[in-house]
Amino acid sequence: MTSKNAETILIIEDNVSLRDMTREYFEVHGFLVQVASNGQEGLVAMQHSRPDLIVLDVMMPGMNGLEFLTIFRTTHQIPVILLTARDAEADKIHGLELGADDYVTKPFSLAELLARARAHLRRQTQPVAVTWLQCGAFDLDVLARTLRVQGRPVDLTRSEFDLIHLLMRHPYRVFSRLELLEGLREEAQGVERTIDVHIRNLRVKIEEQPRQPRWLETVYGVGYRFSPDREA
């Protein structure tokens, strides 16, 4: 059984029986699981959701795991565990150089894969002094408190900077207005609609068409979401 706060794993594997077996194992242990059969399907899946960790096979038809990783690492820092063949040392080395966080050799123990996944997820939740964030066209220098969008510097108020900082730390997550207000820790007299004003002002500064926002999406009835890879 999974909870609504369960962590999400994306399994990219072309072997149907292995993929299903791995999916079921993670689901039994409380994870939400998405699957894709090659790198191209994995990239499509990333356009619609943001998993907490990816289990990635290397040898697949179409776009293989290393090709996926090359594209994926230009915009994402989500942990990736490679599934490699026993004698494919070159793939392991190349994968780690491309940004994979770990690898497991086939045939593998599902218990070991689960333990490795949990270890990487624990590291993700530990506080880290992040001083620079890069998401798609957005570059944010936390210490200098500056933002560039497509290389263009954007002048922000304190609240606007804190808001985009919070959203960039959790791309694709939907925040309620109350969550964003609490995240800002500002003395806003508890008025959730204050967030609407900040979002509107941010859109004017960062969006090409503020009335048809590309990156700062409204999720009707819920709140807002930052989608750095959304097409114009």
Side-chain angles (χ1 to χ4, degrees):
M1 179 178 294
T2 58
S3 72
K4 64 179 181 180
N5 295 320
E7 291 168 305
T8 302
I9 306 291
L10 172 60
I11 299 171
I12 307 177
E13 165 65 67
D14 65 309
N15 184 310
V16 176
S17 61
L18 178 58
R19 187 175 66 222
D20 289 347
M21 183 172 60
T22 307
R23 174 178 56 79
E24 292 171 6
Y25 191 80
F26 273 88
E27 286 178 342
V28 165
H29 287 82
F31 290 86
L32 294 172
V33 180
Q34 302 170 322
V35 295
S37 61
N38 59 39
Q40 187 62 50
E41 288 187 13
L43 292 177
V44 172
M46 291 296 303
Q47 293 176 3
H48 301 287
S49 64
R50 182 185 185 280
D52 298 292
L53 182 140
I54 294 176
V55 175
L56 176 66
D57 186 26
V58 172
M59 297 299 295
M60 293 181 288
M63 181 184 290
N64 67 37
L66 299 181
E67 292 168 332
F68 168 88
L69 195 56
T70 300
I71 298 172
F72 175 78
R73 273 292 179 245
T74 62
T75 53
H76 296 86
Q77 297 302 318
I78 299 167
V80 174
I81 299 177
L82 289 180
L83 302 180
T84 69
R86 182 179 296 278
D87 58 352
E89 184 177 9
D91 285 344
K92 297 173 187 174
I93 295 172
H94 192 194
L96 293 171
E97 290 177 343
L98 288 176
D101 299 274
D102 200 355
Y103 66 85
V104 173
T105 302
K106 293 181 179 179
F108 57 86
S109 156
L110 286 171
E112 179 186 353
L113 178 61
L114 176 64
R116 288 175 181 260
R118 283 175 167 166
H120 286 286
L121 290 169
R122 279 197 300 273
R123 294 189 194 109
Q124 284 288 101
T125 59
Q126 292 173 352
V128 177
V130 176
T131 59
W132 185 275
L133 288 173
Q134 197 278 327
C135 297
F138 289 70
D139 289 282
L140 186 139
D141 187 329
V142 178
L143 296 181
R145 294 182 69 82
T146 59
L147 173 71
R148 288 181 175 271
V149 180
Q150 295 178 323
R152 174 179 59 87
V154 180
D155 186 24
L156 299 175
T157 66
R158 186 199 66 172
S159 295
E160 290 164 0
F161 180 89
D162 291 342
L163 182 58
I164 194 67
H165 183 199
L166 173 61
L167 292 167
M168 286 181 66
R169 292 203 307 271
H170 305 279
Y172 307 106
R173 174 183 165 183
V174 179
F175 285 91
S176 69
R177 291 176 176 81
L178 179 59
E179 288 175 321
L180 291 173
L181 191 65
E182 292 174 346
L184 290 185
R185 302 177 188 174
E186 67 175 22
E187 297 175 0
Q189 289 80 48
V191 181
E192 292 180 29
R193 290 296 172 182
T194 299
I195 294 301
D196 294 342
V197 176
H198 290 323
I199 290 289
R200 184 167 62 246
N201 292 339
L202 263 177
R203 283 172 171 164
V204 169
K205 293 182 177 181
I206 67 175
E207 300 274 4
E208 293 181 356
Q209 300 183 60
R211 292 182 179 275
Q212 296 179 305
R214 171 183 175 186
W215 295 304
L216 290 181
E217 295 183 83
T218 298
V219 181
Y220 292 101
V222 184
Y224 296 100
R225 171 173 56 208
F226 175 58
S227 301
D229 297 327
R230 190 177 180 206
E231 297 293 332

